Every structure is written in structure tokens, then in C-alpha cells.
């Protein structure tokens, strides 16, 4: 095999390796972008949870200050609705974390 043929083969191999690396880097960039989007979504969910906890606490304290019994506070319709929202958001957060773990494990 001549020098020119070896150079040609090495060049082909190098280009193929470069293409493979480029595809891998692009795939990795897409994964990282998706993880970033998911982390931002998780932060939004965390903020919504924080707001709901605050609303529940304020409602309970307000009711207590008006002289409501603990039993009435626990069975308050508004507090019950807020608690259901908290549960739904926690479930969404849990699913999001599972998706993020799945993406991380693919790497």
C-alpha cells in the first residue's frame, strides 16, 4: 500500500470519527437542553407548591383568629381544595424527576 493510499484511508477514518463525534456532541447537547428545561419546570412547580403552602397556612391562621375550631379548619373546603392542588403538583414533580433520571441514565 502506497503512502498516498494510507493518507487517503487515514483521512476517511478521521472524517468518519469526526462525524461520529459531532453526532454524539449534538445528541448530548439536546439531552442537556432538555434537562435544563425540566429543571426550570421543576423550579416552577416548587414555587407553586410554596405559594400553596403559604395560602393554606394563611387560611388556617385566619380561621383560627376568627375563633374557628381545629375540626372546622381541617374540614374547610378551601383548605381541602388547596391540599388537593398540592398533591397534584407533588405528583407532577415526581413524574418530572423520574423523566430527568431516565435521561441521565441514558447518558
Amino acid at each position: 500500500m502506497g503512502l498516498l493510499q494510507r493518507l487517503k484511508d487515514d483521512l476517511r477514518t478521521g472524517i468518519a470519527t469526526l462525524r461520529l463525534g459531532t453526532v454524539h456532541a449534538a445528541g448530548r447537547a439536546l439531552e442537556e437542553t432538555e434537562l435544563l428545561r425540566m429543571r426550570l419546570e421543576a423550579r416552577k412547580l416548587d414555587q407553586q407548591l410554596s405559594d400553596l403552602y403559604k395560602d393554606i397556612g394563611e387560611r388556617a391562621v385566619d380561621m383560627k383568629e376568627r375563633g374557628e375550631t381545629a375540626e372546622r379548619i381541617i374540614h374547610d373546603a378551601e383548605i381541602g381544595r388547596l391540599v388537593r392542588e398540592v398533591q397534584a403538583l407533588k405528583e407532577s414533580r415526581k413524574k418530572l424527576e423520574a423523566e430527568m433520571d431516565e435521561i441521565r441514565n441514558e447518558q
Side-chain angles (χ1 to χ4, degrees):
M1 185 183 289
L3 179 64
L4 189 57
Q5 185 62 36
R6 279 192 294 189
L7 281 172
K8 193 175 181 181
D9 289 343
D10 287 347
L11 184 59
R12 283 185 189 161
T13 302
I15 290 173
T17 302
L18 180 62
R19 284 183 183 153
L20 181 63
T22 303
V23 168
H24 179 71
R28 178 87 171 126
L30 287 174
E31 289 172 354
E32 288 299 322
T33 301
E34 183 65 11
L35 283 172
L36 177 61
R37 184 195 63 75
M38 291 175 144
R39 281 193 295 270
L40 290 174
E41 189 175 331
R43 284 189 183 145
K44 285 181 189 177
L45 290 173
D46 290 343
Q47 183 60 50
Q48 289 174 339
L49 282 169
S50 179
D51 292 343
L52 285 171
Y53 289 139
K54 179 180 169 248
D55 292 345
I56 291 168
E58 286 177 355
R59 174 85 174 159
V61 168
D62 183 50
M63 289 178 75
K64 185 65 177 166
E65 287 175 349
R66 287 184 303 186
E68 299 287 344
T69 65
E71 184 72 24
R72 287 193 51 97
I73 293 171
I74 291 172
H75 290 60
D76 181 64
E78 180 66 13
I79 289 178
R81 183 187 66 78
L82 293 171
V83 168
R84 286 188 295 279
E85 284 185 43
V86 165
Q87 291 168 336
L89 286 176
K90 280 184 172 184
E91 190 61 35
S92 296
R93 179 80 158 86
K94 187 177 178 182
K95 287 178 185 177
L96 186 61
E97 287 175 0
E99 290 175 20
M100 290 171 70
D101 287 342
E102 187 177 309
I103 290 173
R104 286 183 190 117
N105 291 333
E106 288 177 0
Q107 299 172 1

